[in-house]
Amino acid sequence: MGEHYPRYVDGRSAPALDGATFRSFEPATRRHLADIPRCGAEDVTEAVAAARRAFDRGPWPRIAPAERAAVLHRMADRLTAEAERLAELEVRDNGTTLRKALGGDLPGAAAAFRWSAWWAEQLPERLHRAPAAPDGPAARHLRWHPLGVVAVVVPWNLPLLLAAWRIAPAIAAGNTCVVKPASFTSLTTLELVRLLHECGLPPGVVNVVTGPGGTTGESLVRAPGVDLVSFTGSDAVGESVRRGTAAATRLDLGGKSPNVVLADADLERAAAGVAWGVFLHNGQVCMAGSRAVVHTAVHDEFVERVRAKALALRLGDPLDPATDLGPLVSRNQARTALRFTGLGVAEGARLVCGGASPGPDELPEGLDPQAYVRPTVLAGVEPDATVAQEEVFGPVLSVIRAEDDAAAVRIANGSRYGLSAGVWSADPGRARAVAEQLTAGQVWINDYRLVDLDLPPAGAVTGDLVWELLTNELDGYRRRQSITDGTGPAGATGLAPTPYHLLGL
């Protein structure tokens, strides 16, 4: 029997209004893990109404940012204290490895609350332009307001980490939320919200409804009373969300990120970085570096080195700390990865390694081989091949040959995605020149930082911390208002007089 989990609405846990549930299964074993509320349109309406009340009449948007930050700091402490329990739940629900959950997901989730608390404390809610005279009035003001009710749709690939990175800045800015986790992986989001309430979050500030995206999720993004939809997921569903909601949207969609390996690169370092970028979490990461664009002079040696890295990875029980790769999130996702591999070979690529699930005798007893895929390397991939253009979301690397740096840039940019990229070169100037030509929003040089565990700086803000303030996440959940005050006598505020005479007034 699986454990029964509730939804959370207005600070209270309860089943779905009609009592409906669905089952969640462990990807590694297909064992029944939990029964989860299958929330319908009425549940969504109730949750949005609770968030609306909490925003329009509740204390959360009106208390001082430091008070909101205190709740977020307590939550970060709680995530750290309960890391082992939550990591095990994430492994059972999602299939990720215990090593990654403990070393990446839980510290990353705690960092989301730490950073959001820091931004809430440091970023101004009001900013005044200096008056013209030392004792004069300030005529111009900037004011930042929370947006209102945020619908947060969390994907299945990194459920705890992405729930934290969507919820924490939204509530730090003073918003309220209704969260819809993926039906495959709802459990750590439910636990996250339960712990938030235990840390002092007022009722209605964060609510959770669970169920299929096509019903529960659809009801949420179309619900009246939602001001912003924050969606993370596939391009196709993201476009459907954009068309289907009257609210503003923040869409974090797919990727087909390239690693550009230049002729002078340290090939051992590059092979390790590329393997990390595409095989971590079985490539089920939107920023996965699933294309390697490699200079022809080092192509063959690079392929051999990355093949050795792939073959060295150990598939096994995700709860075993020695396991490098567990299952994909489902059998269906494993089949998708194998289908794309087959398409790659059919379109002319050479299968270097992988391309299949392990046999039953290659895994510990009780694990489901059909949910696993061996790390796969394809060489001789054409830049326009299906496997080089479509997001696989599996452990599949496409290696593409480039004749020179200009060709490498052209191939790397030859994708509809522009999320992230890596450049590998021994020459810093050459690497930066290539990096600055890439259309990716995030480029790493001689690195591929899929997991960033930096924490906010201690102490007061100084000029050295401009980067941390300008790259804040809160501004995605706030609206800026400019107020110009013309009350004072002409010239006293430092503003030119409004030229009423142009209308003869």
Side-chain angles (χ1 to χ4, degrees), residues 48 52 147-153 218-231 238-251:
V48 172
R52 188 81 260 167
L147 294 173
V149 175
V150 180
V152 177
V153 182
E218 186 82 5
S219 296
L220 178 58
V221 301
R222 293 179 180 272
V226 169
D227 298 294
L228 173 72
V229 176
S230 174
F231 171 84
E239 178 59 23
S240 175
V241 167
R242 187 190 63 78
R243 291 195 310 266
T245 184
T249 54
R250 171 179 171 160
L251 306 178

Side-chain angles (χ1 to χ4, degrees), residues 289-307:
S290 54
R291 292 184 295 153
V293 182
V294 185
H295 193 285
T296 188
V298 294
H299 174 276
D300 293 351
E301 183 180 352
F302 172 83
V303 168
E304 285 306 308
R305 287 178 182 268
V306 82
R307 172 182 177 272

Side-chain angles (χ1 to χ4, degrees), residues 139-309:
R140 285 186 171 162
H141 312 260
L142 290 178
R143 174 76 163 92
W144 283 267
H145 299 270
L147 294 173
V149 175
V150 180
V152 177
V153 182
V154 181
W156 52 257
N157 61 321
L158 300 166
L160 177 65
L161 183 63
L162 289 179
W165 268 113
R166 300 299 177 262
I167 295 170
I171 63 175
N175 299 286
T176 61
C177 297
V178 180
V179 185
K180 211 296 285 185
S183 53
F184 281 160
T185 54
S186 300
L187 302 188
T188 49
T189 299
L190 289 166
E191 278 295 283
L192 187 77
V193 174
R194 182 182 70 81
L195 294 177
L196 267 170
H197 285 97
E198 291 185 3
C199 290
L201 192 73
V205 175
V206 179
N207 310 271
V208 188
V209 289
T210 49
T215 53
T216 313
E218 186 82 5
S219 296
L220 178 58
V221 301
R222 293 179 180 272
V226 169
D227 298 294
L228 173 72
V229 176
S230 174
F231 171 84
T232 305
S234 71
D235 283 13
V237 179
E239 178 59 23
S240 175
V241 167
R242 187 190 63 78
R243 291 195 310 266
T245 184
T249 54
R250 171 179 171 160
L251 306 178
D252 295 280
L253 306 177
K256 193 67 187 176
S257 300
N259 265 297
V260 178
V261 182
L262 302 180
D264 63 346
D266 178 334
L267 293 185
E268 182 62 20
R269 183 177 180 182
V274 170
W276 156 266
V278 69
F279 297 136
L280 177 71
H281 193 39
N282 279 305
Q284 299 172 121
V285 183
C286 59
M287 299 175 83
S290 54
R291 292 184 295 153
V293 182
V294 185
H295 193 285
T296 188
V298 294
H299 174 276
D300 293 351
E301 183 180 352
F302 172 83
V303 168
E304 285 306 308
R305 287 178 182 268
V306 82
R307 172 182 177 272
K309 301 293 182 190

Side-chain angles (χ1 to χ4, degrees), residues 99-112 114-115 161 165 276 280 444 447-457:
R99 190 195 308 161
K100 171 182 158 292
L102 277 173
D105 297 334
L106 266 298
R114 291 274 184 234
W115 272 109
L161 183 63
W165 268 113
W276 156 266
L280 177 71
W444 296 282
D447 200 357
Y448 205 84
R449 291 177 66 83
L450 280 180
V451 178
D452 195 333
L453 301 179
D454 287 345
L455 290 172

